[in-house]
Amino acid sequence: MTNTKRRQPRRRVRAAIASLAAVVGIATLSFPAGAGAAEATLCGGKLELNNDIPGIDPPGGLSYKFDCNATVLGYGVLSNRQVDYFSTEVGVLDFTSGEATSEQFGCEGPFPSSGFGCRGVANFGNFINGEFAIGRDPCEAAKTKADKFKVWVVATVVQSDSVTNKPFTAVTQPFRLKGPACKTKSVRKETRR
Amino acid sequence: MNNRLRRVGVLSALALVTAVPTLAPASVAAKPTITMSGSTSVAPLAALLARKYLRFCDHCVNFKLLQGGSDIGVADVAAGRVTIGNSSRDPKPSDPGGLVFNKIAQDAICIVTNSANPVPGIDQAGVQAVFGGGVRSWSGVPGSTQTGTIDAFVRTPASGTQDAFQKIFMGSTKIFSGASQKASNGLIQQSVTSDPSGVGYVSLAFTKGVHVVPYKGVDCTLRNAKSGQYGGVRNFYMVTRGAPTGAAKKWITWITHNKAAAKVVSTQWVPLN
């Protein structure tokens, strides 16, 4: 029984890896011939605890913020925790001033689930800034290394072929969002006990 | 950005979400799924309520939330594509027959300007002049600190907010054809936030970062909407094909009768009880 419980996080991680492989597969299929000459898109961002989402009882609320070095037309947020809320409209902040732009995303998806998808537009480098909630405390100590709370973002971006200069869409690899920073004891200490 | 690129982008993004169903528990698949589409104004409330309901009923259902605008939701539910069509407008004679509009909450529509242009108040004639095109310069709007051309932002025709705004604020006055059409509350909010000459109207939940103009001498606040003092209040509906049954009936009944649901509604909207 205990062994079965221990195996579950591993199974979930394996399932996550399989899902992400599928995502990468989709990305590969979307590349037109010759598109390999384009530069790789990089995305990055972080998670923060958010206990101030109106209507969401803490804990579980999170803010996410990320950007890519390309125009983003859509993105998916995926987690190894059950997602049971996401903000349906997501704003975009200018990467130089930090102020709100006229760009925006609308988000859709199932609950509870492993994530959600958003469509809209964010120009090169601008920050996509949204909220979601999971069913557990994000700072809950992980029982195993594999059980550690993780969130990835995969984006649909516009790239330009370096030979023909023609724009095309591509799906990025999954990028792990950093955080959230928790004030609780470190996971390693909890696990040793 | 051309439309073809956008379409491909959207399809790819949706493919990602549908390609990754694997992390949820296996038992989830056996539960009934309530699919919702439609109003972008109702969507934030539906998302919050869904989270609360899942905890209340011990994850008795799954939800799928899509958007598109009230007209899309009404058309989707009429065609049987979704369980519930979310609508932020009242029923129209042109709606398909056999639909039941289940009222779940009320919402205030606020007139908003850029924070650098804190218009002290506007009455119905003023709203009709600004959005109808009768007044095209801020110098013609009493109390405005701007002097240039008014940039009016309105919603697309499929929007329930657009329909409610027309009915409550504009009456028989047609909206100025030169106004910029936006597909969601958030886009109007962002447009007005970044344009000192901008004016628009949004759901009360989307007023952060903009100046909210008092209408007929009453502030557009949750308190004034709840008390009935504020005049720009519209209804939110969950539309079903026929009377709701099964999981959809339980869900809608919970929203309209449960105290925990009313508490969620009360955060930014007006509960029925």
Side-chain angles (χ1 to χ4, degrees):
Chain A
M1 189 68 184
T2 314
N3 283 342
T4 313
K5 278 185 180 174
R6 280 182 186 164
R7 278 176 200 153
Q8 278 182 347
R10 281 192 177 179
R11 281 183 192 160
R12 287 191 177 185
V13 170
R14 281 178 195 155
I17 291 167
S19 305
L20 295 174
V23 164
V24 175
I26 294 167
T28 311
L29 289 173
S30 71
F31 275 76
E39 287 181 19
T41 300
L42 297 173
C43 302
K46 61 179 181 177
L47 298 169
E48 283 183 358
L49 300 176
N50 185 348
N51 291 328
D52 299 321
I53 304 172
I56 296 290
D57 298 327
L62 292 150
S63 295
Y64 63 93
K65 187 177 180 181
F66 74 95
D67 69 321
C68 300
N69 63 346
T71 297
V72 179
L73 298 178
Y75 63 90
V77 173
L78 312 167
S79 176
N80 64 342
R81 292 281 188 277
Q82 191 168 271
V83 174
D84 57 13
Y85 167 79
F86 54 82
S87 49
T88 55
E89 294 199 22
V90 170
V92 178
L93 306 176
D94 186 276
F95 76 94
T96 50
S97 66
E99 290 179 1
T101 67
S102 59
E103 299 152 18
Q104 198 216 19
F105 286 84
C107 300
E108 300 179 333
F111 340 73
S113 73
S114 307
F116 52 92
C118 306
R119 49 182 151 161
V121 65
N123 285 325
F124 185 103
N126 284 349
F127 290 104
I128 296 162
N129 197 13
E131 296 165 342
F132 70 98
I134 59 173
R136 289 160 59 178
D137 183 352
C139 290
E140 187 180 286
K143 288 170 188 161
T144 64
K145 197 176 175 184
D147 187 46
K148 192 179 174 189
F149 174 46
K150 296 184 186 101
V151 174
W152 298 267
V153 64
V154 181
T156 302
V157 297
V158 179
Q159 290 190 333
S160 184
D161 189 293
S162 59
V163 178
T164 64
N165 215 24
K166 282 185 180 175
F168 64 94
T169 56
V171 180
T172 68
Q173 67 180 79
F175 292 95
R176 172 117 178 254
L177 298 181
K178 292 176 185 171
C182 295
K183 288 179 183 174
T184 52
K185 293 171 190 173
S186 74
V187 172
R188 191 172 289 176
K189 281 181 182 174
E190 286 292 320
T191 310
R192 280 179 181 171
R193 282 177 191 176
Chain B
M1 195 66 55
N2 65 38
N3 284 336
R4 187 175 163 274
L5 276 179
R6 282 196 178 185
R7 273 203 304 276
V8 173
V10 167
L11 288 173
S12 304
L14 290 175
L16 292 182
V17 173
T18 51
V20 192
T22 48
L23 297 182
S27 57
V28 166
K31 295 170 188 169
T33 297
I34 297 174
T35 52
M36 297 179 279
S37 71
S39 169
T40 61
S41 300
V42 178
L45 174 59
L48 290 170
L49 286 169
R51 184 178 200 254
K52 199 74 175 177
Y53 186 64
L54 286 171
R55 293 180 172 204
F56 170 80
C57 78
D58 197 18
H59 292 72
C60 61
V61 293
N62 296 320
F63 289 99
K64 188 170 185 180
L65 180 62
L66 308 167
Q67 301 195 62
S70 295
D71 284 0
I72 301 294
V74 170
D76 280 351
V77 73
R81 288 189 286 267
V82 295
T83 321
I84 290 170
N86 290 330
S87 173
S88 61
R89 63 158 173 82
D90 291 334
K92 288 197 276 197
S94 57
D95 287 335
L99 298 180
V100 175
F101 280 66
N102 304 280
K103 189 171 160 182
I104 59 154
Q106 288 189 307
D107 175 49
I109 298 176
C110 304
I111 309 293
V112 294
T113 58
N114 187 276
S115 52
N117 182 26
V119 175
I122 197 163
D123 58 12
Q124 188 166 15
V127 172
Q128 290 171 344
V130 168
F131 288 95
V135 172
R136 292 295 307 127
S137 170
W138 280 113
S139 55
V141 179
S144 170
T145 57
Q146 294 289 314
T147 53
T149 305
I150 296 171
D151 295 333
F153 298 101
V154 300
R155 296 290 303 279
T156 47
S159 156
T161 306
Q162 175 68 16
D163 192 80
F165 176 76
Q166 179 72 52
K167 197 172 166 184
I168 298 167
F169 293 85
M170 297 298 284
S172 58
T173 306
K174 283 188 178 175
I175 287 174
F176 173 52
S177 60
S180 300
Q181 293 187 355
K182 301 289 175 185
S184 69
N185 282 290
L187 284 174
I188 297 263
Q189 180 188 24
Q190 301 288 48
S191 300
V192 173
T193 300
S194 57
D195 182 354
S197 298
V199 62
Y201 49 87
V202 289
S203 177
L204 178 61
F206 292 85
T207 51
K208 193 178 173 185
V210 290
H211 171 68
V212 181
V213 183
Y215 176 63
K216 291 183 178 175
V218 180
D219 288 336
C220 182
T221 61
L222 190 54
R223 176 179 285 190
N224 289 338
K226 284 177 180 173
S227 70
Q229 278 184 287
Y230 185 70
V233 172
R234 44 79 181 265
N235 297 318
F236 275 0
Y237 298 96
M238 288 191 170
V239 185
T240 51
R241 196 157 64 157
T245 57
K249 183 182 179 183
K250 287 179 186 169
W251 158 237
I252 292 171
T253 304
W254 177 82
I255 293 171
T256 52
H257 290 82
N258 188 280
K259 281 183 182 174
K263 197 177 166 189
V264 171
V265 175
S266 288
T267 56
Q268 295 168 90
W269 301 272
V270 182
L272 297 184
N273 300 309

